[in-house]
Amino acid sequence: ITKQKFQENLGRRIREIRENRGLSLRDVEAHDNSIDSGQLSRFENGEKIPMIYTLYKLAIILKVDIRDFFDE
């Protein structure tokens, strides 16, 4: 798998989980202001790859296991 494909898959999965939880980008930002909505949008669009600590924080906010970001 290429880095670009990995980023796209990860971003798609983050968006799926967030939307399934009924949260907007701004809702996530409100839970943790170190993750701004613009940054999260870039992750979800596969433009950037989040650091592992950011994924950890997203998992807490979204109430999932961090491994869920990698399951399809």
Side-chain angles (χ1 to χ4, degrees):
I1 187 168
T2 66
K3 180 182 176 184
Q4 184 60 39
K5 189 66 173 166
F6 177 81
Q7 282 180 209
E8 290 168 2
N9 290 345
L10 177 60
R12 186 187 78 254
R13 189 70 182 127
I14 292 170
R15 178 181 284 124
E16 268 178 19
I17 293 169
R18 178 182 58 76
E19 289 177 346
N20 286 342
R21 299 289 183 271
L23 296 174
S24 70
L25 294 169
R26 297 231 182 253
D27 292 334
V28 173
E29 183 177 27
H31 278 83
D32 187 329
N33 63 7
S34 71
I35 304 171
D36 70 62
S37 57
Q39 176 186 45
L40 183 53
S41 177
R42 288 188 293 281
F43 296 151
E44 291 184 352
N45 290 323
E47 297 168 17
K48 289 193 73 173
I49 197 161
M51 303 275 291
I52 191 72
Y53 186 66
T54 302
L55 282 176
Y56 168 76
K57 292 192 297 184
L58 283 171
I60 291 170
I61 293 166
L62 299 174
K63 297 182 172 112
V64 295
D65 189 292
I66 197 168
R67 293 174 290 191
D68 293 340
F69 294 131
F70 305 100
D71 292 343
E72 294 198 23

